[in-house]
Amino acid sequence: MKLGIVGLPNVGKSTLFNSLTKAGADSANYPFCTIDPNVGIVPVPDERIKLLGDFYHSKKVTPATVEFVDIAGLVKGASKGEGLGNQFLANIREVDAIVHVVRCFEDENVVHVDGSIDPGRDIETIDLELIFADIEVLDRRISKTAKTSRMDKTAAKELDMQKRLKAHLEDGRDAISFETDDEDERNWIKGYDLLTYKPVIYAANVGEDDLEDDGESNPYVQCVQKYADDHNSEVFVICAEIEAEISELDDDEKQEFLEDLGLKESGLDKLIRAGYRTLGLMSFLTAGEDETRAWTVKMNTKAPQAAGRIHTDFERGFIKAEVIDYQDLLDCGSYSSARDRGLVRMEGKDYIVRDGDVILFRFNV
C-alpha cells in the first residue's frame, strides 16, 4: 500500500509524516519547506503476527508495510507552476490513495498561507489544483487520440469518453465520480493515472484538547466530515504534534501514553485501518519456525493469486492451500491438534482468502 500525503503548507503534513515514519523530514514553519518528496516505509501494526511468531518461535517476524510519500505543500495555482509548481504532482500519480491533511487547529504561531483557518476552502484549493492537472493530462490524451479516431472505431469511442470526462472535470468534479458502465471506458480511465481518480482519506489535524472526543466538538472537523461524507471518503482525527511524541516512545510507553490521553489507538493505527478499508485490502499470514509473515492482498483474492504474492511459481504451480484461522490455531495449541479437530481445511483454486487466514500453499513447477 502506497499513500501520498498532501495538503497546504503548514497544516502539519510533514510533522505527521515524521511521526509516522521517524524519517526526520524538515517541518519548519514556512511554506515549501519540503522540497523533495520524502519516502518512508512503515510496518503495519498487527498483533497476530507477533502472537504467531511466539507460537512458532519464529526466527524472523515480518509485518506488512505501508509506503508513505510526503509531497511539498501545494498552493493555489500549483498546477500552473505556483509555489513549487506541479513538479510534485507526478509523485502523487504513483500512489494508491491520497491522504489529505487538513488543518483544524488554531495557533497564532503557525502561519496559514491564506491567513485564516477554513477547512472547506483548503480542501477545495487542493482538489481544484488536482482537477486542473488532470485536465492538462486529458488535453494531451485528446490531442493524441483525435489523430487516429477517424480511421479507428475504438479510438473514436475513447475520444468520445475523453471529452465527456473532461467536461465532468471542468464542472469541478473529480474523475472518481465519473459514472460509466462500459468496461473499456473504466480501463481507459484507470490507465490515465489521473490524480482525482485516486481515493482520498482526510486527516483532520487537531490540537491535543480535541483528541478526547475525537474532534466531535470541533467545528472545523465537522466541516471536513461533511465534505468527506459528500464525496464518499474516509476521515480520521489526528494530532500531528501528539503523534510526534508517540513516535519517540517504545511500545510499553506508547500504550501507557495513549491510555493517559484516553485514546485507544495511535493516529498511525487509524490511518492504516482507513487505508485498508478505502483500498479494500486485508492480510493473510504464513507462519513457521523460519519466518512468520503478513501479506497484503485485495479483498476477494483467490488462493492462487494470494500465493502469487509470495512467489510467481506458487501461483503458476498452485495445487492446494492448507488453511486455518489464526485464532483457531492459537486456541488449539499446535498445528497437529488443529488438524485432528478438523480445523485445517484443504482449499482449491476457487477459495477466496479471508483476513487472518494462516495458509500453507502446496505447488509444483
Side-chain angles (χ1 to χ4, degrees), residues 46 48-65 285-295:
D46 192 338
R48 298 173 303 186
I49 59 167
K50 180 181 182 302
L51 295 172
L52 282 172
D54 292 341
F55 181 87
Y56 278 101
H57 306 290
S58 302
K59 297 173 186 174
K60 186 179 179 183
V61 175
T62 307
T65 59
L285 315 164
T286 54
E289 188 177 323
D290 288 336
E291 183 181 28
T292 291
R293 182 163 180 168
W295 304 86

Side-chain angles (χ1 to χ4, degrees), residues 315-326:
E315 180 176 358
R316 186 160 53 91
F318 178 89
I319 300 172
K320 290 285 184 182
E322 286 189 22
V323 184
I324 181 172
D325 177 79
Y326 90 98

